[in-house]
Amino acid sequence: IVAAAYLGTPMVVTSVPGVRDYVQHARTGLLVEPGSPEAMGAAIDRLWADEALRQQLAGDAHAFAAGSCTEQNYVTHVRGLIATLAGRRAPSAAVAQEA
C-alpha cells in the first residue's frame, strides 16, 4: 500500500486494521468492507469512470506517503502489527530504533 501510494496509484482496498493507517476513504484511496465483492466492484467502477477522482486520490496518496511514510515509521508499524496479530504488546520505539 505504501509503495502504491508513493507511486501515485489510485487504490481500492478493504477496510481492515493496518490498511486504515495508510488509506483515508475518498482522500488517499477508496475503502470497502471486507468480504463484499460487490462493494469492491462498485468502487473499481467508480474509479474507472471518474478521472478527476483518480487524479485526486493518486496525488493525495503520494503526498501522504512522501511526507509521513519513512522507512523507520514503516518498520515500527509492521512490528506493531505483527505483535498485535500475535497477541503481544507492540515493541517500544527504542527497540524499533535498534533494528
Side-chain angles (χ1 to χ4, degrees):
I1 290 175
V2 173
Y6 192 80
L7 292 171
T9 304
M11 296 177 280
V12 176
V13 294
T14 54
S15 181
V16 295
V19 170
R20 291 186 300 258
D21 295 336
Y22 294 101
V23 179
Q24 297 172 337
H25 182 68
R27 185 172 178 320
T28 58
L30 297 179
L31 292 170
V32 298
E33 288 303 312
S36 178
E38 296 83 10
M40 179 67 74
I44 291 169
D45 286 346
R46 180 179 172 199
L47 268 185
W48 184 260
D50 190 339
E51 182 177 349
L53 177 62
R54 287 193 310 270
Q55 291 177 355
Q56 178 255 310
L57 294 177
D60 287 351
H62 173 76
F64 170 77
S68 63
C69 295
T70 65
E71 181 180 344
Q72 187 58 50
N73 287 348
Y74 183 72
V75 168
T76 300
H77 176 77
V78 169
R79 285 184 174 182
L81 183 59
I82 290 169
T84 298
L85 293 173
R88 300 185 318 224
R89 190 172 69 88
S92 68
V95 172
Q97 289 178 356
E98 293 172 8

